[in-house]
Amino acid sequence: MERRVTERQPAAYNAEVRYQSGRKLTLPVLDISLGGCMVDARSWSIRPGEPVSVKLPSLNWQPAKLVWNEDGRAGIAFEEMLYEPTLEHLNALAA
């Protein structure tokens, strides 16, 4: 399992997640950091290591991969870390 390298912040918005096959679903984001996010994954059946794309509010699709999936939650690691101002913008949405 990969280690978290940045501090996480609570979130209260949805992310669109797209499989490589093109199938999309919308999942609630529970928390977010520069390096990834945790989503409510009760309706999601995917295995760790699978590549996905994530679309957060007002941002473009970002390559990522599923790191873990257990107890109805899942951790997604972004391929490229978010910029600090981008994270601040997303945090303002949750306030």
Side-chain angles (χ1 to χ4, degrees):
M1 182 181 294
E2 295 179 19
R3 290 265 187 228
R4 180 183 317 278
V5 294
T6 57
E7 185 177 330
R8 60 186 174 176
Q9 304 291 322
Y13 42 81
N14 292 327
E16 285 185 75
V17 180
R18 183 173 57 202
Y19 291 86
Q20 281 188 313
S21 68
R23 180 176 172 235
K24 289 189 257 185
L25 68 154
T26 301
L27 299 171
V29 178
L30 303 174
D31 71 31
I32 190 163
S33 69
L34 294 173
C37 61
M38 179 173 62
V39 295
D40 182 326
R42 288 177 282 183
S43 63
W44 202 18
S45 60
I46 187 172
R47 290 185 300 235
E50 291 195 44
V52 295
S53 294
V54 178
K55 186 172 186 332
L56 296 165
S58 71
L59 299 178
N60 291 323
W61 289 98
Q62 175 157 343
K65 73 174 179 178
L66 182 71
V67 179
W68 58 269
N69 186 355
E70 60 185 52
D71 298 327
R73 299 176 298 158
I76 298 172
F78 304 137
E79 201 169 280
E80 293 186 25
M81 292 181 72
L82 297 175
Y83 293 109
E84 189 73 39
T86 302
L87 184 60
E88 290 172 10
H89 166 75
L90 292 168
N91 288 338
L93 296 175

